[in-house]
Amino acid sequence: MDDSTTVKTLKQSVVSFRDARDWKKFHTPKDLAASISIEANELLELFQWKTPQEAQALLDDSTKMQEIRDEIADIVIYCLSASDSMEFDLSEAVAAKLQKNEEKYPVEKAKGNSKKYTEL
Ligand SMILES: [Mg+2]
């Protein structure tokens, strides 16, 4: 599998996994929002207390890199489940948000700096 697998295919796999276990009843908007946050924090925990150099070095550690990939995948899995439970098209939502970000961060103002759009 590579990044060319469509969001639709991934979403179908997530829904099949969830429904085979009769877990849809647990996937409320509140619990999905909490789960996305919990998984994001599991990702953050892998970097906790590391210096910037130590954090960068994790990317060269295959065991740690697998853990990082797993946590990012968990986040995406819950996002896909949320888009199903809350009945919206995730691809469309990402494209629409990128467009909003384009407007908030025009290249001529944002290129090469990390300022928030309110500071540009
Ligand atoms: Mg996890």
Side-chain angles (χ1 to χ4, degrees), residues 39 42 70-71 74:
E39 296 300 341
E42 288 179 2
D70 284 350
E71 297 308 344
D74 281 340

